[in-house]
Structure formats: structure tokens, C-alpha cells
Amino acid sequence: MKIIMLGAPGAGKGTQAKMIAERYQIPHISTGDIFRANIKNGTQLGMEAKKYMDQGLLVPDELTVKILLDRVAQEDCKNGYVLDGFPRTIPQAEVLDKALAELGEAIDYAINVDVPDENIVRRMSGRRACLSCGATYHVEHIPPKQEGVCDNCGQALVLRDDDKPETVQNRLKVYHEQTQPLIDFYTAKGVLKTVDGTVDMKDVFEAIVSILK
Ligand code: AP5
Ligand code: MG
Ligand code: ZN
């Protein structure tokens, strides 16, 4: 099963993608997590990506597409995967589509997690992220067992550099301009499903599971 998560920054794509990955035993692939891991490790790719991410801009397609195509070609992706944060532009979607078509494959579901902009800024300021394993928490909704420490791996949790309110505004603008057109793209392919992302995360997940059945 090949699934794409669509939605504004902070809509809960990552939160839901992790739950889907666990339930269906498929890898969760987040281009944002891949970039953040590279930034943390000080790689060339990380330094390049950081320039864009810190401003709330998209990393150029040339950098992003190659990383994603390499990742989905790996052995553990044989039975499918859930993509979180990719594609984010029409050209990215077209490249993915073409690569899959060459293998006689296609995306099965594009899940659009719908959350209005007003809710987003509030959510982001409460988010805490683990840059080691990619786990995400929220100081009110999903607190870690011990404040500031990742439940999974024990590393310190941080407020992401791009979660400052002014950067969030920029990310929302970029989302509406460059990513939202993908909703029409996947509607035209007959695979788009929209869920209400404003309800409790468990209820969002239930809505997704009933679509995937
Ligand atoms: P990326 O890491 O993908 O960030 P994003 O799309 O901005 O999305 P987020 O990760 O911020 O939000 P999310 O939807 O995953 O929400 P989450 O589950 O954490 O990308 C970062 C940057 O990398 C981009 O800006 C760009 O520069 C670059 N990049 C990445 N991919 C790229 C690509 N393909 N092309 C070009 N550039 C790319 O939830 C948010 C918060 O809300 C959390 O605290 C969570 O606990 C909480 N929450 C979740 N669900 C609920 C709920 N139902 N109720 C209440 N709270 C909830
Ligand atoms: Mg995310
Ligand atoms: Zn961790």
C-alpha cells in the first residue's frame, strides 16, 4: 500500500503517518525528518537544506526528488510506504508518478489532513521534536513522560527552528501557493481522501483506517 499524507504544516501528517506505519507495517518516510537528521549530522545536504527550511521555504526540487527516489527504491519499501511531506509541489508529484509508472505501480491513497490556518500557529508553538528519532510531542496534547526528554530514545526535545510564529506564517503561505494544488492533482487521479484533522488524534486515525480498509 502506497500512501501520501497531504496537509498544511502542523496538520498532523507526521503524527498520523507514524500510526499508519505501525499499524500496516510499512516504512514512514518524511523528507523533513531526513533533512533534519542531515542538519543535525552537519552533512553538505543538511547545510544546503537548512538555508531554505529556516525561512519556511521549500528545499529545491532537484535536491528533494533524488533523496526520495533513492529511499523508496530500498528493500523495505517493497510492500509500500507512507510518504509524509513529499510530494510538496506539482513537479515533485509528476516525478514520483513517472517513477512509479515505470514499475507498473501507482499511489493508492492521498490522505488530506484538513486543519484551518487559525489552528496551526497555536499547535506549532506547543510542538516539541526529537531530532534523533523524529518523534513529535505537544506540550498540552501529547506530552512526553518526562518533560523535555524523548520517550523513545532519551534525547532532549527541542522547539524546531522553523516553528517560530513568523516562520510558520511563511510556511503556510508557501503551502497554499505550492502544495495545495496537489489536492486537485490527486483528486483527478481518483485517490484523494480528506479527513478532519481538528479532532482528537485517535479519531483522525480512525477516520484514516476506515478509508484504508
Ligand atoms: P516538514 O518536516 O514536512 O514540515 P511541515 O510540512 O511543515 O509539517 P510539520 O512536520 O511541521 O507538521 P505535521 O503535519 O507533520 O504535524 P505534526 O504531526 O508534527 O518539512 C519541514 C521543511 O523541510 C519544509 O518547510 C521544507 O523547507 C523542507 N521540506 C520537507 N519536505 C520537502 C519537500 N518535499 N520539498 C521541498 N522542501 C521540503 O503535528 C503538529 C503538532 O500538532 C504536534 O505538536 C502534534 O503533537 C500536534 N497534533 C497532531 N495531531 C493533533 C491533533 N489531532 N490534535 C491536537 N494536536 C495535534
Ligand atoms: Mg512532520
Ligand atoms: Zn527520540
Side-chain angles (χ1 to χ4, degrees), residues 9-10 13-15 31 36 57 59 85 88 92 127 137 171 199:
K13 300 181 296 295
T15 302
T31 38
R36 281 185 290 277
L57 300 174
V59 177
R88 247 187 165 86
Q92 289 182 11
R127 173 163 61 182
Y137 304 85
R171 286 161 64 198
V199 297

Side-chain angles (χ1 to χ4, degrees), residues 130 132-133 135 150 152-153:
C130 173
S132 281
C133 74
C150 180
N152 281 343
C153 72

Side-chain angles (χ1 to χ4, degrees), residues 138-187:
H138 190 283
V139 289
E140 285 162 49
H141 309 297
I142 313 157
K145 291 197 186 80
Q146 191 188 336
E147 198 187 317
V149 179
C150 180
D151 292 350
N152 281 343
C153 72
Q155 294 282 320
L157 300 176
V158 298
L159 178 68
R160 270 168 46 179
D161 285 342
D162 59 350
D163 279 350
K164 295 185 218 98
E166 35 329 339
T167 315
V168 171
Q169 292 295 352
N170 238 350
R171 286 161 64 198
L172 279 170
K173 185 164 168 276
V174 167
Y175 167 75
H176 290 299
E177 286 169 4
Q178 301 194 55
T179 307
Q180 211 171 17
L182 292 176
I183 291 176
D184 289 341
F185 182 93
Y186 287 108
T187 300

Side-chain angles (χ1 to χ4, degrees), residues 107-129:
I107 292 298
D108 299 300
Y109 299 97
I111 310 275
N112 176 32
V113 184
D114 190 31
V115 177
D117 288 7
E118 305 85 82
N119 300 33
I120 299 282
V121 183
R122 234 178 308 136
R123 270 194 195 182
M124 303 302 233
S125 57
R127 173 163 61 182
R128 295 296 177 272

